[in-house]
Amino acid sequence: MRDRRRRRTNGIDPRMMFLLMQLARQISAMPYKPPATLVLMALNFAVHFYQHTLPLGIPQVCLHPAKILSGELKRLVFSAFYHGDDMHVYYNMSSLLWKGAQLEQAMGSEAFIGMSLVLLGLSHSIYVAVAWAMAEVGFYNSMNTCAIGYSAVLFAYKVVLNHASPRWTRIWGFSIPLKYACWAELVLISIMTPNASFIGHLCGILAGLIYVYGYNFVQPTLQSVPRSDGDGRRIRNGRLERNRRNQREREEWELQEALRRSREESG
């Protein structure tokens, strides 16, 4: 999720086309192709590349707390599927593919879609509540922010994936428990990408924590699926176990991507 940026111009940039081809090759090589995840990715890409033909533009759908409280509830949902630029949507969809494939295989497609809808509504509702609370103590501009993107849900996915993991990971040379990696990434991404929505990402984490610990939906669901995939991931005692090397490499790649995008935007 990031603050609203200018509307993209028509056409697909050649660099973006190359990245999309790489993403397609990754999907083709996957032993399990998660249907719900792929549908969500296709929806996000379609909205992004054809938003100039849609009746609602970014100003009409972005997550604007004041307008949501005045009755424009469609923003709670629609804002997640609009992105500011090509790299914004590519980075989010790459992360969705990685996290969604693991969750969907463990939970099943219907349960994954249901969880995604809950996390979407919950994270964006928390965002509005936080903005209102900030305005009450004097931060009045918080009610007029205009954020877009699927990032809040992605942060919530990360919490769900790693909440019960006993593993550790390394971020910028520091070893931390994997279940706390989302907090480190929250800070690092906000530093490296200043126009990213810190509050939006934070609300995604809070939504994930509420989902896991408040409603306790995930643990029983994962415990009931005793299967594994060809990548060394399996469900054991309610925990989604992954190949440690692949997990570390993916997290390092995500951070490097964020750093590279930050350099491009500041250049």
Side-chain angles (χ1 to χ4, degrees), residues 2 10 12 30 42 57 74-75 106 111-112 124 145 154 175 227 229 237-238 240 242 247 249:
R2 68 172 59 180
N10 296 348
I12 301 179
M30 295 172 66
K74 66 179 182 297
R75 293 173 180 269
F112 173 70
H124 286 186
T145 57
L154 295 174
S175 294
R227 63 174 178 264
D229 67 14
N237 298 327
L240 183 61
R242 294 172 291 281
Q247 175 73 5
E249 289 177 351

mmCIF file of all heavy atoms in Angstrom, residues 2 10 12 30 42 57 74-75 106 111-112 124 145 154 175 227 229 237-238 240 242 247 249:
data_model
loop_
_atom_site.group_PDB
_atom_site.id
_atom_site.type_symbol
_atom_site.label_atom_id
_atom_site.label_comp_id
_atom_site.label_asym_id
_atom_site.label_seq_id
_atom_site.Cartn_x
_atom_site.Cartn_y
_atom_site.Cartn_z
ATOM 1 N N ARG A 2 0.524 2.179 -0.825
ATOM 2 C CA ARG A 2 1.273 3.433 -0.854
ATOM 3 C C ARG A 2 0.342 4.591 -1.098
ATOM 4 O O ARG A 2 -0.788 4.416 -1.528
ATOM 5 C CB ARG A 2 2.363 3.401 -1.931
ATOM 6 C CG ARG A 2 1.851 3.372 -3.347
ATOM 7 C CD ARG A 2 2.988 3.549 -4.341
ATOM 8 N NE ARG A 2 3.975 2.518 -4.182
ATOM 9 C CZ ARG A 2 5.076 2.438 -4.931
ATOM 10 N NH1 ARG A 2 5.292 3.347 -5.865
ATOM 11 N NH2 ARG A 2 5.943 1.478 -4.767
ATOM 12 N N ASN A 10 -0.971 4.948 -20.844
ATOM 13 C CA ASN A 10 -1.382 3.763 -21.584
ATOM 14 C C ASN A 10 -0.169 3.004 -22.088
ATOM 15 O O ASN A 10 0.886 3.566 -22.337
ATOM 16 C CB ASN A 10 -2.268 4.164 -22.771
ATOM 17 C CG ASN A 10 -3.558 4.807 -22.291
ATOM 18 O OD1 ASN A 10 -3.889 4.758 -21.116
ATOM 19 N ND2 ASN A 10 -4.277 5.412 -23.222
ATOM 20 N N ILE A 12 2.261 -0.849 -22.025
ATOM 21 C CA ILE A 12 3.101 -1.556 -21.072
ATOM 22 C C ILE A 12 4.554 -1.277 -21.401
ATOM 23 O O ILE A 12 5.001 -1.451 -22.527
ATOM 24 C CB ILE A 12 2.829 -3.078 -21.130
ATOM 25 C CG1 ILE A 12 1.349 -3.356 -20.807
ATOM 26 C CG2 ILE A 12 3.711 -3.813 -20.143
ATOM 27 C CD1 ILE A 12 0.979 -4.823 -20.854
ATOM 28 N N MET A 30 6.159 -23.906 -11.218
ATOM 29 C CA MET A 30 5.633 -24.305 -9.913
ATOM 30 C C MET A 30 4.960 -25.671 -9.990
ATOM 31 O O MET A 30 4.136 -25.905 -10.882
ATOM 32 C CB MET A 30 4.635 -23.261 -9.402
ATOM 33 C CG MET A 30 5.244 -21.905 -9.108
ATOM 34 S SD MET A 30 3.986 -20.651 -8.723
ATOM 35 C CE MET A 30 3.335 -21.303 -7.184
ATOM 36 N N ALA A 42 -4.318 -11.953 -11.487
ATOM 37 C CA ALA A 42 -4.867 -11.514 -12.772
ATOM 38 C C ALA A 42 -5.780 -10.309 -12.594
ATOM 39 O O ALA A 42 -5.761 -9.366 -13.399
ATOM 40 C CB ALA A 42 -5.626 -12.667 -13.434
ATOM 41 N N GLY A 57 -11.616 5.939 -11.201
ATOM 42 C CA GLY A 57 -10.175 6.111 -11.172
ATOM 43 C C GLY A 57 -9.658 6.083 -9.744
ATOM 44 O O GLY A 57 -10.415 5.933 -8.782
ATOM 45 N N LYS A 74 -17.226 1.589 -0.563
ATOM 46 C CA LYS A 74 -16.592 0.839 -1.649
ATOM 47 C C LYS A 74 -15.078 0.992 -1.618
ATOM 48 O O LYS A 74 -14.339 0.108 -2.085
ATOM 49 C CB LYS A 74 -17.120 1.301 -3.003
ATOM 50 C CG LYS A 74 -16.747 2.730 -3.380
ATOM 51 C CD LYS A 74 -17.278 3.100 -4.748
ATOM 52 C CE LYS A 74 -16.860 4.509 -5.161
ATOM 53 N NZ LYS A 74 -17.421 5.544 -4.267
ATOM 54 N N ARG A 75 -14.601 2.086 -1.056
ATOM 55 C CA ARG A 75 -13.163 2.328 -0.992
ATOM 56 C C ARG A 75 -12.448 1.285 -0.132
ATOM 57 O O ARG A 75 -11.265 1.031 -0.339
ATOM 58 C CB ARG A 75 -12.891 3.731 -0.434
ATOM 59 C CG ARG A 75 -13.344 4.869 -1.336
ATOM 60 C CD ARG A 75 -13.192 6.215 -0.655
ATOM 61 N NE ARG A 75 -13.608 7.332 -1.491
ATOM 62 C CZ ARG A 75 -12.802 8.003 -2.309
ATOM 63 N NH1 ARG A 75 -11.516 7.670 -2.374
ATOM 64 N NH2 ARG A 75 -13.258 9.003 -3.045
ATOM 65 N N ALA A 106 -2.006 -24.961 1.671
ATOM 66 C CA ALA A 106 -2.221 -25.458 3.024
ATOM 67 C C ALA A 106 -3.686 -25.421 3.431
ATOM 68 O O ALA A 106 -4.178 -26.326 4.110
ATOM 69 C CB ALA A 106 -1.399 -24.639 4.020
ATOM 70 N N ALA A 111 -11.025 -21.592 1.420
ATOM 71 C CA ALA A 111 -10.633 -21.014 2.707
ATOM 72 C C ALA A 111 -9.667 -19.857 2.513
ATOM 73 O O ALA A 111 -9.723 -18.859 3.244
ATOM 74 C CB ALA A 111 -9.998 -22.089 3.596
ATOM 75 N N PHE A 112 -8.788 -19.968 1.517
ATOM 76 C CA PHE A 112 -7.834 -18.891 1.263
ATOM 77 C C PHE A 112 -8.556 -17.627 0.796
ATOM 78 O O PHE A 112 -8.244 -16.513 1.249
ATOM 79 C CB PHE A 112 -6.817 -19.332 0.206
ATOM 80 C CG PHE A 112 -5.900 -18.241 -0.250
ATOM 81 C CD1 PHE A 112 -4.926 -17.726 0.591
ATOM 82 C CD2 PHE A 112 -6.020 -17.703 -1.529
ATOM 83 C CE1 PHE A 112 -4.085 -16.702 0.181
ATOM 84 C CE2 PHE A 112 -5.187 -16.686 -1.960
ATOM 85 C CZ PHE A 112 -4.216 -16.186 -1.093
ATOM 86 N N HIS A 124 -8.115 -2.677 6.220
ATOM 87 C CA HIS A 124 -8.534 -1.355 5.784
ATOM 88 C C HIS A 124 -9.453 -0.675 6.806
ATOM 89 O O HIS A 124 -9.418 0.553 6.956
ATOM 90 C CB HIS A 124 -9.222 -1.451 4.425
ATOM 91 C CG HIS A 124 -8.251 -1.697 3.311
ATOM 92 N ND1 HIS A 124 -8.617 -1.697 1.980
ATOM 93 C CD2 HIS A 124 -6.913 -1.961 3.321
ATOM 94 C CE1 HIS A 124 -7.549 -1.941 1.226
ATOM 95 N NE2 HIS A 124 -6.517 -2.111 2.028
ATOM 96 N N THR A 145 -5.676 11.229 3.844
ATOM 97 C CA THR A 145 -4.723 10.439 3.067
ATOM 98 C C THR A 145 -5.468 9.659 1.995
ATOM 99 O O THR A 145 -6.682 9.433 2.091
ATOM 100 C CB THR A 145 -3.946 9.473 3.973
ATOM 101 O OG1 THR A 145 -4.888 8.632 4.675
ATOM 102 C CG2 THR A 145 -3.088 10.237 4.965
ATOM 103 N N LEU A 154 -0.872 -8.259 2.062
ATOM 104 C CA LEU A 154 0.363 -9.037 1.983
ATOM 105 C C LEU A 154 1.070 -9.099 3.332
ATOM 106 O O LEU A 154 1.612 -10.146 3.709
ATOM 107 C CB LEU A 154 1.292 -8.449 0.920
ATOM 108 C CG LEU A 154 0.773 -8.517 -0.519
ATOM 109 C CD1 LEU A 154 1.722 -7.777 -1.461
ATOM 110 C CD2 LEU A 154 0.622 -9.966 -0.971
ATOM 111 N N SER A 175 20.063 -11.574 12.863
ATOM 112 C CA SER A 175 19.225 -12.754 13.023
ATOM 113 C C SER A 175 18.044 -12.424 13.926
ATOM 114 O O SER A 175 18.239 -11.924 15.046
ATOM 115 C CB SER A 175 20.035 -13.906 13.629
ATOM 116 O OG SER A 175 21.045 -14.329 12.736
ATOM 117 N N ARG A 227 -0.669 -32.503 4.236
ATOM 118 C CA ARG A 227 -0.013 -32.834 2.989
ATOM 119 C C ARG A 227 1.216 -31.966 2.791
ATOM 120 O O ARG A 227 1.417 -30.964 3.456
ATOM 121 C CB ARG A 227 -0.967 -32.658 1.801
ATOM 122 C CG ARG A 227 -1.456 -31.224 1.565
ATOM 123 C CD ARG A 227 -2.256 -31.156 0.281
ATOM 124 N NE ARG A 227 -2.767 -29.836 0.033
ATOM 125 C CZ ARG A 227 -3.971 -29.438 0.354
ATOM 126 N NH1 ARG A 227 -4.793 -30.256 0.973
ATOM 127 N NH2 ARG A 227 -4.372 -28.208 0.076
ATOM 128 N N ASP A 229 4.233 -30.447 -0.332
ATOM 129 C CA ASP A 229 4.409 -30.163 -1.744
ATOM 130 C C ASP A 229 5.813 -30.543 -2.154
ATOM 131 O O ASP A 229 6.600 -31.036 -1.367
ATOM 132 C CB ASP A 229 4.107 -28.692 -2.066
ATOM 133 C CG ASP A 229 5.115 -27.748 -1.437
ATOM 134 O OD1 ASP A 229 6.174 -28.211 -0.975
ATOM 135 O OD2 ASP A 229 4.834 -26.535 -1.426
ATOM 136 N N ASN A 237 1.872 -30.406 12.858
ATOM 137 C CA ASN A 237 1.477 -29.835 14.144
ATOM 138 C C ASN A 237 0.981 -28.395 14.003
ATOM 139 O O ASN A 237 1.284 -27.531 14.812
ATOM 140 C CB ASN A 237 2.641 -29.880 15.137
ATOM 141 C CG ASN A 237 3.072 -31.300 15.436
ATOM 142 O OD1 ASN A 237 2.240 -32.197 15.450
ATOM 143 N ND2 ASN A 237 4.357 -31.503 15.686
ATOM 144 N N GLY A 238 0.236 -28.157 12.934
ATOM 145 C CA GLY A 238 -0.358 -26.840 12.761
ATOM 146 C C GLY A 238 0.587 -25.786 12.248
ATOM 147 O O GLY A 238 0.253 -24.619 12.194
ATOM 148 N N LEU A 240 3.190 -24.365 9.176
ATOM 149 C CA LEU A 240 3.563 -24.456 7.780
ATOM 150 C C LEU A 240 5.078 -24.409 7.708
ATOM 151 O O LEU A 240 5.694 -23.366 7.907
ATOM 152 C CB LEU A 240 2.962 -23.300 6.986
ATOM 153 C CG LEU A 240 3.209 -23.313 5.482
ATOM 154 C CD1 LEU A 240 2.615 -24.556 4.849
ATOM 155 C CD2 LEU A 240 2.645 -22.072 4.834
ATOM 156 N N ARG A 242 8.745 -24.678 5.858
ATOM 157 C CA ARG A 242 9.287 -24.382 4.533
ATOM 158 C C ARG A 242 10.762 -24.685 4.485
ATOM 159 O O ARG A 242 11.444 -24.762 5.509
ATOM 160 C CB ARG A 242 9.061 -22.906 4.184
ATOM 161 C CG ARG A 242 7.610 -22.551 4.018
ATOM 162 C CD ARG A 242 7.449 -21.063 3.861
ATOM 163 N NE ARG A 242 7.760 -20.368 5.078
ATOM 164 C CZ ARG A 242 6.927 -20.268 6.101
ATOM 165 N NH1 ARG A 242 5.751 -20.841 6.059
ATOM 166 N NH2 ARG A 242 7.271 -19.607 7.179
ATOM 167 N N GLN A 247 13.263 -19.852 1.841
ATOM 168 C CA GLN A 247 12.594 -18.768 2.552
ATOM 169 C C GLN A 247 13.533 -17.579 2.735
ATOM 170 O O GLN A 247 13.157 -16.432 2.512
ATOM 171 C CB GLN A 247 12.117 -19.281 3.920
ATOM 172 C CG GLN A 247 11.516 -18.214 4.811
ATOM 173 C CD GLN A 247 10.145 -17.798 4.342
ATOM 174 O OE1 GLN A 247 9.605 -18.371 3.397
ATOM 175 N NE2 GLN A 247 9.575 -16.805 4.992
ATOM 176 N N GLU A 249 16.239 -16.814 0.996
ATOM 177 C CA GLU A 249 16.555 -16.187 -0.286
ATOM 178 C C GLU A 249 15.408 -15.316 -0.754
ATOM 179 O O GLU A 249 15.614 -14.212 -1.285
ATOM 180 C CB GLU A 249 16.842 -17.261 -1.333
ATOM 181 C CG GLU A 249 18.175 -17.981 -1.113
ATOM 182 C CD GLU A 249 18.382 -19.087 -2.121
ATOM 183 O OE1 GLU A 249 17.428 -19.403 -2.871
ATOM 184 O OE2 GLU A 249 19.497 -19.654 -2.163
#
